[in-house]
Amino acid sequence: MNTKDQYKLNHGQQHQSTRTRLLIVEDQRELARNISEYLQDNHYELDFAVDGLTAMHLIATQQYDVIVIDLMIPGVDGFSLCDRLRQDLKSTTPVLIMTALGSLDDKARGFRTGADDYLVKPFDLLEFKLRVDALARRGMNYSDTLNAGPLSFYPGTLEARFGEHAVTLTGIPARLFEQLMRAHPRFLSHEELISSAWRDVADTEDYTSLRTHIYALRSVLQTAFGHGMVKTVYGRGYCLSLPTILDSASDV
């Protein structure tokens, strides 16, 4: 079965939640055919693209569990494709790069542009399958968009959006904001926030650092949205405070 026929067959099928939907961006038809044959059970549904522009169209119009990208493809190259799906399309779908480019510089560039994993050719198809399955499981735990009323957050790009306004968060404030978005409408204790942001056990200095980073987060959100968005639950922790609920954020 050639790659074009495989694309037409799978692209016409209705998505089933029990399947792992893959987009394979690869211009080497023999490798594409081998992948298709190896994953030809009912657990997978595959689409193929042989160039970057076709891949961009599919990513913009279809929903995938994992995207596999070769770097040396016609049109938009793999590095640019990965960067554009993160920055322009705001996609957080897990990305596996498979390529013959195996230098440390190439790997570093791939991860900087938004890849989640990197597999150097030639590779064993079993390893390919194991990596795809691991990325699919990881992707199941995170929604492309976190929503709390009119407030949205994109974990893959760290962009927060409120109405027509948007801001990109960084560092510890971004981690804190993501956890508050996931917890909304409940509050998170100081210990929960410290554990998620620093991955260690709370102590006196950690509480001070937490207050400092919450203040920084509020300042960024206040500047971008006209509202600090984070409320202090005194003696307990913090929660989101949306403008439609409260007029102003509490002080640290």
Side-chain angles (χ1 to χ4, degrees), residues 114-126:
D116 298 274
D117 201 356
Y118 198 106
L119 184 59
V120 178
K121 299 176 181 177
F123 52 79
D124 189 287
L125 286 172
L126 175 57

Side-chain angles (χ1 to χ4, degrees), residues 165-177:
H165 303 283
V167 64
T168 300
L169 303 176
T170 59
I172 297 296
R175 293 187 196 173
L176 294 173
F177 187 70

Side-chain angles (χ1 to χ4, degrees), residues 55-70:
M56 283 288 291
H57 172 73
L58 289 172
I59 295 167
T61 58
Q62 305 295 319
Q63 184 69 38
Y64 296 103
D65 299 305
V66 179
I67 300 170
V68 181
I69 300 176
D70 178 30

Side-chain angles (χ1 to χ4, degrees), residues 1-194:
M1 180 184 297
N2 66 36
T3 305
K4 184 178 294 185
D5 291 338
Q6 178 70 14
Y7 164 72
K8 288 181 178 179
L9 171 65
N10 287 317
H11 184 58
Q13 294 175 340
Q14 184 177 3
H15 174 54
Q16 301 180 34
S17 59
T18 57
R19 293 186 174 189
T20 299
R21 287 206 69 190
L22 303 180
L23 174 62
I24 311 294
V25 188
E26 173 59 70
D27 63 335
Q28 296 181 20
R29 295 183 182 274
E30 184 64 28
L31 177 56
R33 185 182 299 110
N34 289 341
I35 291 173
S36 174
E37 292 174 353
Y38 192 80
L39 300 180
Q40 62 179 357
D41 59 49
N42 292 330
H43 184 64
Y44 301 95
E45 183 178 342
L46 279 65
D47 283 354
F48 289 89
V50 297
D51 60 77
L53 292 177
T54 301
M56 283 288 291
H57 172 73
L58 289 172
I59 295 167
T61 58
Q62 305 295 319
Q63 184 69 38
Y64 296 103
D65 299 305
V66 179
I67 300 170
V68 181
I69 300 176
D70 178 30
L71 292 178
M72 296 185 292
I73 51 176
V76 180
D77 67 79
F79 288 124
S80 300
L81 174 60
C82 191
D83 182 66
R84 289 176 64 178
L85 75 90
R86 296 297 191 222
Q87 300 301 321
D88 297 342
L89 300 180
K90 307 303 181 186
S91 172
T92 59
T93 301
V95 170
L96 169 63
I97 286 178
M98 61 174 186
T99 178
L101 302 178
S103 73
L104 183 58
D105 287 342
D106 290 323
K107 293 178 181 178
R109 184 181 177 190
F111 285 116
R112 283 197 303 267
T113 58
D116 298 274
D117 201 356
Y118 198 106
L119 184 59
V120 178
K121 299 176 181 177
F123 52 79
D124 189 287
L125 286 172
L126 175 57
E127 181 179 2
F128 173 83
K129 178 181 181 297
L130 292 172
R131 289 174 181 263
V132 165
D133 289 346
L135 289 176
R137 288 193 300 271
R138 183 187 308 175
M140 289 170 58
N141 295 326
Y142 294 93
S143 170
D144 279 358
T145 308
L146 301 176
N147 295 299
L151 184 63
S152 300
F153 182 65
Y154 302 85
T157 61
L158 304 183
E159 181 187 73
R161 182 171 292 275
F162 184 74
E164 298 181 354
H165 303 283
V167 64
T168 300
L169 303 176
T170 59
I172 297 296
R175 293 187 196 173
L176 294 173
F177 187 70
E178 178 177 349
Q179 295 308 311
L180 290 168
M181 287 288 294
R182 293 187 184 281
H184 182 74
R186 73 180 183 90
F187 78 91
L188 289 178
S189 68
H190 300 112
E191 292 79 10
E192 287 176 301
L193 286 168
I194 289 168

